[in-house]
Amino acid sequence: MANKRKAPQISILMLLCTVQFMSLLDTSIVQVALPSIQQNIGLPSQQLQWVVTSYAVMCGGFILLGGRLGDMWGSRRMLMYGMALFTIASVFAGFAFDGTVLIFARALQGIGAAVMLPSVLALITLVYSEGHERNRALGFLGTVSAVGFTSGLILGGILADILGWRFIFFVNIPIGILILTISPRLLPESARIKQPMDIAGAVTATGGFVVFLYALTAAGSYGWYSMKTIGLVLLTLLLFSLFLIIERHTKFPLVPFSVFSQRSFVGAITASLVFGSVMGSSIFLLNLYMQNVLEYGPLTAAFAFLPQEILTMVAAGFVARLIAKAGTHWVLSAGMISFGTGLFLLSLITPANSYLVAVLPGTLFIGLGAAMVLVSGSIAATAGIPPEQQGLASGLWNTGPQIGTSLGIAILMAVIHSDSNSLANSSSTFREYQSAFAMAIIFAVVGFCIVFFLNRPTVKAKQKI
C-alpha cells in the first residue's frame, strides 16, 4: 500500500520540479548566447542587459501577486495559466526579429514564471505533510533549482553554438505543451480562500516591485544619479508607502504582515535575495569575462560552469542530511560563508592565471553555497506557515532570486562603469571585474549577519529529514 500511495507523490514531485527547472533555466540560459544575439539581430549594447533583466524584473514584480492568486483561485489553475503564457512567450522570443520584440517576449516569460512558480512550493506543501517527507521533497526541489540555474548556461551554450540562439527559446515549447497536457490529470487542486481580492494592494505592491526592479536595472544603464533613476526610486517609495497604508486598513490584505512574525521566514527570504544577487551577478560577469577577456567561445564558456553545476547537484543531497543534524540555521549561515569565500577568490582573477586557478575555485564555493541556501531556505520558508498562506510564502521566497539578480547586476555594473557598455566589449580590464567581485562580497556578509541572528534556533527539536 505504501508504494501505491507514494507513486503519485513521486510523479507530482517530478512534474513540479520540471516546472521549477524551466523557470530557473530561463533565468540564465540566455547569458552565454548574449554575444550571438547581439551580433545576429543588431542589438545595441545599452539594451543587452535587458535581455536578462527584463525576465527578472517582471518575474520578481508579479510573483507576489501570482502567489496570492494561487491561494485564492487554486494553485493548479495558476500553474497552468502561467505555463501557457510562458510557452506562448517562448514562441515570440524564438521568432524575435529585433531587440524590442525579444525584450518584450522575455518580459512575458517573466510574468508567466511569476504566475506558475509560487504554485510549485504550494502544491508540494499540499501533497507532502510537514516534517520528514516534505523536507526530503524540498531537498530534491532545491537540488533541481540549483541545477536549473546553472545548467541554463551549458544548455544555452550548446544550443547557441550548434543550432543557433533561437533554439534556447524553442526548446521550451514541447516541454510546456507536455506539462499543460498532464497537469490536469496529475496535480491536485488546492483549497481556495473565500475572500475578496485586494485589488488596490495588488496594484501598488506589484507596481512597486516592477518599478523598483526597473530602477535598479536603469541605474546600471543611466547611472545612479540620473533623473530617470531618481524619479523611479521616488515612484517606488510612493507605491510602497501606499501599499503599507492600504494593507493596514483593509480587512483582507494581499500580504498579512503576520507572515513576517517568524524570524526564520524572514531569514529565509533574505537568503533567497543573497542567492540571486550572488548567482545572477557572478554568472553574468564571469560569462562576459571569459568571452570578452579570455576570448572563450560560447560553448567553452558554458562548459566552464559544469563543475559548479555538478558540485551543486551532489552537495544538495548531502545538505538535506546535514540539516537533520545541524538545523537550517547553521546550514544557511554556512551557505553565506561559502558565497563570500567564492566571491573573494573571484576578486583575485587575472588573465595571467589559468581557468583552473582564476575561475574554478571561486565558482565551486559559490555552487556549494547555492546548494546550502536553496535546500535549507525552502524548508525555513514553508515551515510553520498556515495552508492558506503557503502561496504567499512561496511567492515571497521565489521573489528573492529575481530581485537579487537585478539588484546584484545593477550594483556591480555601476561599480565597473556608469553603464553596462563597458562589459560588452573586449576593452574591459580584469581590474574592473576584480572590483565588482570584491563589492559583491558585501552581499554575502550582510546575508550572513541577518541569517545568523534571525534564524538562530529556539528550544525546538532539530528538523528530521
Side-chain angles (χ1 to χ4, degrees):
M1 294 296 293
N3 290 336
K4 290 183 179 180
R5 180 179 63 84
K6 290 184 178 179
Q9 285 187 336
I10 294 173
S11 300
I12 291 170
L13 182 60
M14 292 300 102
L15 175 60
L16 294 174
C17 284
T18 302
V19 175
Q20 183 90 351
F21 181 85
M22 283 185 65
S23 61
L24 290 175
L25 185 81
D26 263 62
T27 303
S28 58
I29 195 171
V30 302
Q31 302 227 31
V32 174
L34 284 177
S36 301
I37 293 173
Q38 183 179 26
Q39 183 178 8
N40 183 255
I41 63 177
L43 188 67
S45 295
Q46 64 269 22
Q47 292 185 13
L48 191 62
Q49 176 191 354
W50 287 99
V51 178
V52 177
T53 55
S54 59
Y55 180 93
V57 165
M58 301 311 286
C59 184
F62 282 90
I63 204 168
L64 180 60
L65 178 59
R68 203 55 178 157
L69 289 176
D71 289 334
M72 298 180 64
W73 294 352
S75 296
R76 183 183 68 187
R77 173 181 293 184
M78 297 313 299
L79 184 147
M80 293 182 65
Y81 285 168
M83 180 57 70
L85 179 58
F86 187 88
T87 304
I88 293 171
S90 297
V91 176
F92 283 107
F95 286 109
F97 53 86
D98 65 15
T100 302
V101 175
L102 178 59
I103 292 171
F104 176 75
R106 287 285 290 164
L108 287 181
Q109 280 186 314
I111 296 175
V115 174
M116 67 185 180
L117 261 180
S119 295
V120 173
L121 270 182
L123 287 170
I124 285 180
T125 60
L126 176 64
V127 175
Y128 292 90
S129 57
E130 185 170 348
H132 175 79
E133 288 188 345
R134 183 185 296 178
N135 289 352
R136 290 183 70 88
L138 290 174
F140 187 78
L141 182 69
T143 303
V144 171
S145 299
V147 172
F149 203 91
T150 53
S151 63
L153 298 167
I154 298 173
L155 181 59
I158 293 173
L159 292 175
D161 195 61
I162 297 176
L163 299 176
W165 66 267
R166 296 182 185 277
F167 281 85
I168 66 177
F169 303 112
F170 289 150
V171 72
N172 293 328
I173 300 171
I175 301 175
I177 293 173
L178 178 62
I179 291 174
L180 288 171
T181 301
I182 64 178
S183 290
R185 306 174 187 176
L186 196 60
L187 296 178
E189 184 57 284
S190 62
R192 305 177 189 180
I193 300 176
K194 304 293 184 179
Q195 66 180 46
M197 180 64 180
D198 179 15
I199 301 296
V203 171
T204 51
T206 301
F209 273 122
V210 171
V211 174
F212 172 63
L213 293 174
Y214 181 63
L216 293 177
T217 51
S221 298
Y222 303 102
W224 290 95
Y225 300 106
S226 68
M227 291 302 297
K228 184 170 186 177
T229 302
I230 293 173
L232 289 170
V233 170
L234 292 176
L235 180 57
T236 298
L237 293 175
L238 174 62
L239 289 171
F240 278 133
S241 297
L242 290 173
F243 171 71
L244 292 175
I245 294 172
I246 292 168
E247 298 305 281
R248 286 179 62 88
H249 293 88
T250 187
K251 185 177 181 181
F252 300 105
L254 175 70
V255 182
F257 293 132
S258 59
V259 75
F260 297 104
S261 62
Q262 295 191 51
R263 295 187 308 165
S264 61
F265 177 77
V266 178
I269 300 304
T270 301
S272 72
L273 281 165
V274 175
F275 165 78
S277 64
V278 172
M279 287 293 291
S281 60
S282 65
I283 287 173
F284 184 84
L285 292 172
L286 278 174
N287 170 57
L288 293 174
Y289 176 80
M290 288 187 289
Q291 292 196 51
N292 293 330
V293 177
L294 301 183
E295 298 183 348
Y296 287 1
L299 194 57
T300 304
F303 274 98
F305 291 97
L306 183 59
Q308 181 187 56
E309 178 185 348
I310 293 174
L311 176 62
T312 301
M313 182 171 56
V314 173
F318 290 100
V319 168
R321 300 174 188 175
L322 182 61
I323 293 172
K325 299 179 180 180
T328 57
H329 166 251
W330 292 110
V331 176
L332 271 177
S333 300
M336 297 297 111
I337 294 174
S338 189
F339 279 155
T341 304
L343 291 168
F344 172 75
L345 293 174
L346 289 177
S347 71
L348 304 177
I349 59 173
T350 167
N353 293 329
S354 65
Y355 161 80
L356 293 177
V357 174
V359 177
L360 180 61
T363 59
L364 290 179
F365 272 101
I366 291 175
L368 178 61
M372 293 179 177
V373 170
L374 284 172
V375 177
S376 57
S378 61
I379 293 173
T382 56
I385 302 296
E388 65 273 12
Q389 292 184 352
Q390 284 292 342
L392 171 64
S394 301
L396 289 168
W397 163 251
N398 283 290
T399 299
Q402 307 302 330
I403 294 179
T405 296
S406 296
L407 178 63
I409 291 176
I411 290 177
L412 297 189
M413 296 214 338
V415 169
I416 291 178
H417 270 303
S418 60
D419 56 52
S420 63
N421 294 347
S422 64
L423 291 180
N425 59 71
S426 58
S427 64
S428 301
T429 68
F430 69 90
R431 291 184 179 84
E432 292 171 326
Y433 289 91
Q434 287 180 335
S435 300
F437 285 121
M439 174 64 72
I441 297 174
I442 297 176
F443 302 153
V445 172
V446 172
F448 172 81
C449 293
I450 295 176
V451 165
F452 184 80
F453 288 107
L454 286 183
N455 286 65
R456 282 190 297 181
T458 55
V459 190
K460 292 183 179 180
K462 294 179 180 179
Q463 298 188 54
K464 294 184 178 181
I465 303 296

